[in-house]
Structure formats: C-alpha cells, structure tokens
Amino acid sequence: MAPQQAGSAALAAAKQSEAAQKSEAKKEKSSSWSMFRILFILVIGVGLAMVKSGFVISFTPGDEDVTNFSKVYGGVKGNDQHSAYDADVARSFYNLANEFYEYGWGDSFHFGFRRKTEPHSVSIRNSQNFIAQKLMVGDMANVLDIGCGIGGPMRGVVRATGANVTGLTINPYQIKRGREITSELSPWMQARCHFSLQDYLKVEGLPEDHYDGAFYMESSLHCENRTQTFKEAFRLLKPGARLVAMEYLTLPGWDPKNAEHQELMRQHLHGNGAAKTPSIEEDLAMVRAAGFEIIEHFDYMDLGNDIYGEENWPWWADLQPHMPDPRRLLLPAHPYVRWMQPTILGALAKIGLLPENVPKTASVMNEGADGLSGLGRVGALTPQYYIGARKPLK
C-alpha cells in the first residue's frame, strides 16, 4: 500500500474510532439519563402506590406540625423528661403518628413475641390474650382500656372475654378511627366496644367504684408521673377489681452513663412521644402509691424465651435489620422499607403531592423505631413489663 493511502486509511480509522467513542459516550449518557428517569418514576410510582393504598400517612389530623412537636424534646438527653404537659404531647404525637402506626403495624399499637416462623398477628394476639386472662372478667363485665389508641387491644380483649370495654384516649382522631373500624364488626362486638375522649391523668364523667377491671397496653409511657393515672384507675375500679398494666420500663441492662444507651433512649423518647422511662422498682412504687396491692409482676417478654426457646422472635426484631422471611415479614416496618420512606415521601412533597410535614414525620417515626428497638437489642428496656394488681376490698 502506498504511503499516502496508508495515511488516509489511518486517518479514517482514527475518525471512525473517535465517532464510535462519541457514540458510546452519548449512549452511556442517554442510558444514565434513562436509568435516572426510570428510578425517579419508580420512586414516585411506589410513593403514590403507598399513599393510595394507605401504606403511609398522607395527612396529619388538625394540621399538626412535626417541627413544633419536636421542639418539646429540644435539649432532651438520654432519659430526660420533655418540657410540656404529658397529655398535650401525647395528643400531638398521635396526630402525627397514628396512620404511620396503623399502616405499618396494624390496628394494635403494641409489641409481643412469637415463633420465628409466625406472622406479626400472632405476637399481637399473644399479648392481648394474656391481658384477657389476667383481668379475670367475663361476659359484659365493665372494663377500662386506659390509653386505648384506635381500639385494637380493646377488640382483642372483647373477643377473648365478652367484656364490655370502654377505651380512653386523649386523641379525637383515634376515637373517630376506632369507631370506624368497630362499625364494620358484628353487632355483638359493637355492643361491647366504646370510646371516650379523656385525659387519663384526670378522667371526668365516668362513675367511681364501678369497673370490674382496667388495663394499660403500653400506654402509660406517655406520662412521667404514672401514680397520677394509676390513681384515676383506682378511683374508677370496684373494690377487689384487677389492674393489668403492660409497662415501658428500663431493665437492669440500662446504663445511663453509656453513650450508646443515652442516644438510643433520646431517639426513643422523641420518636415515640414518650415521657421519662422509670425503672422496675420506680414503677412498682407508683402502682403502690396509687393504693393498689401488687399481686404479681415480671417481664412478659421473657416468656417468649421460656415458651419458644431458640425459636423465639423477640419483640424488637421486626424493627432491626434482618433477613426477610415471608412467613414472618412485617414489610412496612422492615428497616429497608421504612428507611426509604422519608426520601420517597420527600420527592412527592417536592412536587406538591404531599404536605412537607409528612416526610419529616416519617423521619421522626424512624428515629423512634431505631431507638426503641435498639434499646431492646441491648437489653436496656422492655415495652411490656407486666404488673398485676388489685384494688383492696376495704
């Protein structure tokens, strides 16, 4: 080949190579842009599906502002008490949290234990049946559910005992939602499930010495001075009636000087609208100070290990990172799902499909879930320390 021809061929090859490189770069750029668009569409699509299906909250009752709520916990370190009246904090918290809880956890806002291969509903049923057993009441007995949420535990106790249960809550939206759920049940259930808007620190309008039993399903965590609400229960119960309290308490594993424990507790208090958490002995003293005789007490969550042994799925495990198993999976509460929610909801908020308050609330909910389950993982806290007590006959 002549030198001139060789040079022309080389030049053509170089140009062809350059064109190919530009084409590849354009394809890569186009591919990256397409991938970005696909991911964006997927994020928006998943977010819209979550909202449409009720998977996450799409509004906050009363236009509750999560920023104002969080200010109450400003300066709280470790197991410190917040700066506001407990009932006001609880009302505001459930305006923010109620739908997150319902669609992430169900209509019963509490924990429990179960076998590793069993669904979440088993842990809920285990705890509610335990309360029903310890109340020792029968058909149409008058019972109080103090801090009832949207009535999940109440309905569980009614199914197990036939009791006539009145649920007390500080939050009007919870009463509305609880009545909606109950209205879809049988007439037999509707006749036994009732709701009353009350501050359980100062209950008004209910008859004294009237009720055959009362229970708290993890609800006293919202007040620092639990003696005050226990006194209200004491006043309303008949002599000889039983109190069953499933209590958030610190365990011997709680170390107030441990930096990790302090941060986990701070996250829990803020993210769950909780008051300062007492120790076992402090809580027992508050029950006695209200006038009750304590019959028995123990950490209900320890029963899971006794019953199931190595097959026990502890109360905190759903909220900590773990390998998903379809037999037990609680998808909305799984960290790999809930950790994405603020980002997905934030994208929807940016294009005006959701209020900005919603992704901010999702972040607070995650803080509470991480802190609380972390405390459980290190053996520093239990959400269901059982206290069985009785109002004396005289």
Side-chain angles (χ1 to χ4, degrees):
M1 181 181 293
Q4 186 175 359
Q5 290 177 323
S8 297
L11 180 61
K15 287 183 177 180
Q16 187 176 5
S17 176
E18 182 180 0
Q21 289 177 0
K22 287 182 178 180
S23 177
E24 285 299 319
K26 188 175 181 180
K27 286 181 181 179
E28 288 181 9
K29 185 176 181 180
S30 176
S31 177
S32 297
W33 175 241
S34 297
M35 183 60 69
F36 172 79
R37 282 186 293 184
I38 290 171
L39 287 173
F40 180 77
I41 291 170
L42 280 174
V43 166
I44 297 300
V46 169
L48 286 171
M50 290 163 68
V51 172
K52 186 177 180 181
S53 67
F55 187 63
V56 292
I57 191 170
S58 57
F59 73 100
T60 50
D63 295 322
E64 194 71 49
D65 190 318
V66 69
T67 302
N68 289 337
F69 166 78
S70 293
K71 287 179 181 177
V72 171
Y73 287 89
V76 170
K77 297 178 181 178
N79 197 18
D80 292 345
Q81 173 64 4
H82 59 66
S83 61
Y85 179 58
D86 286 324
D88 291 339
V89 175
R91 184 189 301 108
S92 295
F93 174 73
Y94 284 108
N95 278 342
L96 295 166
N98 195 85
E99 287 208 343
F100 275 105
Y101 276 9
E102 184 175 352
Y103 298 117
W105 205 253
D107 70 348
S108 297
F109 304 163
H110 64 82
F111 291 94
F113 56 75
R114 64 190 191 272
R115 189 178 283 107
K116 289 179 180 179
T117 55
E118 293 177 326
H120 169 70
S121 59
V122 173
S123 63
I124 296 299
R125 188 167 60 248
N126 283 343
S127 292
Q128 292 175 3
N129 286 344
F130 177 81
I131 285 181
Q133 174 193 359
K134 293 300 183 180
L135 280 170
M136 299 181 68
V137 295
D139 189 49
M140 292 306 293
N142 292 307
V143 173
L144 290 172
D145 177 357
I146 304 177
C148 66
I150 60 174
M154 173 203 303
R155 290 184 286 272
V157 168
V158 169
R159 290 187 187 100
T161 66
N164 186 46
V165 184
T166 299
L168 313 183
T169 176
I170 191 69
N171 187 277
Y173 178 76
Q174 289 191 329
I175 289 183
K176 175 179 177 292
R177 184 68 188 118
R179 286 173 175 164
E180 287 174 352
I181 296 171
T182 305
S183 69
E184 298 175 358
L185 303 179
S186 69
W188 188 90
M189 287 291 295
Q190 292 182 42
R192 290 164 171 78
C193 297
H194 315 280
F195 294 86
S196 178
L197 184 64
Q198 296 281 353
D199 176 356
Y200 67 25
L201 296 172
K202 47 183 179 182
V203 179
E204 299 177 347
L206 297 184
E208 296 186 3
D209 300 319
H210 174 75
Y211 293 91
D212 302 294
F215 68 91
Y216 295 80
M217 178 60 97
E218 302 184 8
S219 54
S220 68
L221 84 158
H222 297 295
C223 65
E224 181 184 21
N225 181 9
R226 298 184 186 182
T227 298
Q228 191 171 345
T229 184
F230 295 149
K231 282 183 176 179
E232 291 297 282
F234 186 90
R235 179 173 63 84
L236 298 170
L237 287 173
K238 291 178 180 178
R242 288 186 174 237
L243 174 74
V244 176
M246 307 298 272
E247 297 284 280
Y248 268 75
L249 299 179
T250 58
L251 296 172
W254 160 251
D255 181 0
K257 296 180 181 179
N258 182 298
E260 179 190 10
H261 289 200
Q262 285 185 335
E263 176 57 15
L264 290 171
M265 182 64 81
R266 184 201 65 77
Q267 291 177 336
H268 156 55
L269 297 183
H270 175 216
N272 291 301
K276 181 179 179 180
T277 307
S279 66
I280 294 170
E281 289 306 318
E282 287 170 339
D283 201 55
L284 292 172
M286 285 189 270
V287 174
R288 292 189 181 101
F292 287 102
E293 299 173 343
I294 294 178
I295 303 169
E296 58 181 345
H297 63 92
F298 54 84
D299 187 359
Y300 172 71
M301 292 308 184
D302 283 346
L303 274 182
N305 293 322
D306 295 337
I307 296 170
Y308 298 130
E310 293 183 357
E311 288 298 304
N312 182 48
W313 186 247
W315 65 268
W316 47 265
D318 285 314
L319 297 173
Q320 286 283 300
H322 61 275
M323 183 63 68
D325 183 331
R327 295 171 297 179
R328 65 163 182 259
L329 183 61
L330 186 61
L331 185 63
H334 195 288
Y336 301 152
V337 174
R338 62 180 176 80
W339 286 342
M340 292 191 303
Q341 283 193 1
T343 301
I344 294 173
L345 298 177
L348 295 175
K350 282 187 177 180
I351 59 177
L353 295 179
L354 285 178
E356 292 184 3
N357 204 43
V358 174
K360 293 178 181 177
T361 301
S363 294
V364 173
M365 297 297 99
N366 275 335
E367 187 175 345
D370 291 339
L372 177 56
S373 60
L375 288 168
R377 176 180 52 81
V378 299
L381 180 145
T382 178
Q384 288 190 11
Y385 191 91
Y386 159 64
I387 300 176
R390 178 173 48 218
K391 181 175 179 176
L393 289 171
K394 294 183 180 181

